[in-house]
Amino acid sequence: MLDLVSAVFSLISISILSANSAVVTLAYLSRSRPVEVYPENLYEYPEVTIVVPAYRERSSIHHVLQSLKEVRYPRDKLKVVVVGESDDIETYREISKFCKAGNQLLNCGEVVGIYIENSSGVRGKPAALNYALRYINTDILAVYDAEDTIHPDHVLTAVKILEDSDVVAVQFIREVANTSSKLSKAQIADFYFFYEVFQPYIAHKTGLAEVCGSAFFIKVPHLVSIGGFNISSPTEDLDLTYRIGARRWKVVLAYPPSTTRPISRFSSLVKQRARWIRGGILSISVGLRAVPRSIPLLLITGFTPIAAITSTIAVAVGFAGLLLGFEMTLFRRVILVLAAVCVLGSTPVVLANPGGRSALKYLAVMSAVYYLAIWRAVFELLTAPRSWTKSDFKA
């Protein structure tokens, strides 16, 4: 009986991981690249609103505000909306150091806007973004996190790409700022494969790059028509991507990059990735509505974490059977196949990373992070499946 149970869970894992390995390998071999345009003088400059959700971001908010002042776009066509919470006066005080602030009005390097407090009664980034929609009267909306840097050419590039009527959103690739810590280098390696290898491939093949929560631009009428951001999703960005895909609209992945700060504590990184995994699993039902375009994302964000769970169960049951003295013939056979599939799936990730062999140890760190995050996500799915937990970037 234990042999059969172990074999069944192993076969489930092998099926999912084989599909995942195939997609990852195709992405590596495709050599696809993000879109790169060089906009000069546009025929017209539509108004753009940049929204920054900022709850307890006193130590990070300067990154996005400083970079906002360097954006190359007509100041009278650019607006900023910072969304805070009523119990976070520290962030507002920090904003006042970088922008002229008073009576909710902001002026950040001649980019004018407002500071508002989310009074919707619901905490979390998606609720804050939905609340901000009430104050937006432009056709294009951009979202940046407090710890991110806006590239000077982002707005011009996004506006140029969004001239295509089939394109609804533009996601700029994201890079992690390099520090001396191994954990930051691990995040650099992780982001590199996702944004420089996997995302360009799926964007090229399906026209549906993933909206990744920050450094993205979207047409407001289309966003409103699909109901805005899902406040009950732990990953409102992935949920939004699937709903865009179901409408047959395009999301373009583009250069130049946005730089974000690394998470400095191992436990905080596990917590963040657990939310991503939990949201990916909960979003499977939404993603199925966008099939076949959503298949690569469903594999990576939804089914692969499930495969990690089933493979762990398979191995645990298998070794338990061996310790109890059972022959475990099926387990002995399928465990070798499972190991081979895991190696095949990880090889393109290592080969694609510019760090070469040195990247292997950093990717090993991220593997540990994701494995622990998966089991934390399982616990959260049982206790608080829809909660939105803030990422902690503090040192």
Side-chain angles (χ1 to χ4, degrees), residues 188-189 191-193 196-197 348-359 363:
I188 290 171
F191 267 45
Y192 181 86
F193 186 83
E196 296 279 4
V197 181
V349 180
V350 176
L351 292 176
N353 203 282
R357 291 182 180 180
S358 64
L363 291 169

Side-chain angles (χ1 to χ4, degrees), residues 55-74:
Y55 180 59
R56 302 202 183 282
E57 299 288 2
R58 180 181 60 181
S59 62
S60 303
I61 192 71
H62 64 280
H63 292 294
V64 70
L65 294 180
Q66 288 281 49
S67 63
L68 176 63
K69 298 177 182 180
E70 305 300 322
V71 171
R72 289 191 280 268
Y73 202 75

Side-chain angles (χ1 to χ4, degrees), residues 8-51:
V8 169
F9 278 104
S10 293
L11 289 174
I12 293 172
S13 304
I14 289 168
S15 299
I16 296 173
L17 294 176
S18 294
N20 179 77
S21 297
V23 171
V24 167
T25 301
L26 289 172
Y28 169 66
L29 295 175
S30 73
R31 306 296 182 185
S32 299
R33 305 294 294 166
V35 170
E36 192 167 12
V37 299
Y38 300 94
E40 297 179 357
N41 294 328
L42 300 176
Y43 178 72
E44 61 177 333
Y45 294 87
E47 290 187 330
V48 177
T49 300
I50 294 177
V51 178

Side-chain angles (χ1 to χ4, degrees), residues 255-267:
Y255 282 127
S258 170
T259 302
T260 189
R261 282 354 90 170
I263 291 179
S264 57
R265 289 197 295 261
F266 188 89
S267 60

Side-chain angles (χ1 to χ4, degrees), residues 282-333:
L282 290 172
S283 297
I284 288 175
S285 60
V286 183
L288 290 174
R289 301 171 195 168
V291 168
R293 301 174 71 204
S294 59
I295 288 176
L297 278 175
L298 281 168
L299 274 172
I300 295 292
T301 64
F303 291 110
T304 297
I306 292 175
I309 297 169
T310 56
S311 61
T312 300
I313 294 172
V315 172
V317 172
F319 279 108
L322 291 173
L323 290 173
L324 291 172
F326 296 106
E327 187 65 27
M328 303 300 290
T329 305
L330 293 175
F331 169 71
R332 293 174 185 272
R333 293 175 179 174

Side-chain angles (χ1 to χ4, degrees), residues 245-259:
R247 293 289 188 95
R248 320 308 300 175
W249 298 330
K250 290 183 179 180
V251 179
V252 170
L253 182 74
Y255 282 127
S258 170
T259 302

Side-chain angles (χ1 to χ4, degrees), residues 262-276:
I263 291 179
S264 57
R265 289 197 295 261
F266 188 89
S267 60
S268 298
L269 189 56
V270 170
K271 176 183 174 182
Q272 182 198 58
R273 295 314 201 252
R275 176 173 61 80
W276 292 4

Side-chain angles (χ1 to χ4, degrees), residues 137-254:
N137 58 7
T138 59
D139 287 334
I140 298 175
L141 160 70
V143 176
Y144 285 88
D145 290 334
E147 63 275 359
D148 286 353
T149 299
I150 308 172
H151 190 281
D153 290 334
H154 270 180
V155 181
L156 279 170
T157 301
V159 166
K160 182 66 177 178
I161 295 173
L162 289 171
E163 287 179 344
D164 186 335
S165 59
D166 292 330
V167 178
V168 166
V170 177
Q171 173 65 57
F172 287 101
I173 69 167
R174 303 178 71 205
E175 296 178 345
V176 176
N178 196 354
T179 69
S180 59
S181 75
K182 291 182 179 180
L183 196 59
S184 71
K185 294 183 185 300
Q187 293 168 74
I188 290 171
D190 189 42
F191 267 45
Y192 181 86
F193 186 83
F194 184 74
Y195 285 103
E196 296 279 4
V197 181
F198 176 72
Q199 277 266 59
Y201 172 71
I202 65 170
H204 175 71
K205 288 296 183 180
T206 70
L208 189 65
E210 182 186 355
V211 175
C212 294
S214 181
F216 74 89
F217 289 67
I218 188 168
K219 294 175 180 176
V220 175
H222 294 74
L223 175 61
V224 172
S225 73
I226 58 176
F229 299 92
N230 183 359
I231 63 174
S232 66
S233 174
T235 49
E236 80 291 337
D237 42 8
L238 180 61
D239 181 274
L240 176 62
T241 304
Y242 287 147
R243 286 185 285 130
I244 290 173
R247 293 289 188 95
R248 320 308 300 175
W249 298 330
K250 290 183 179 180
V251 179
V252 170
L253 182 74

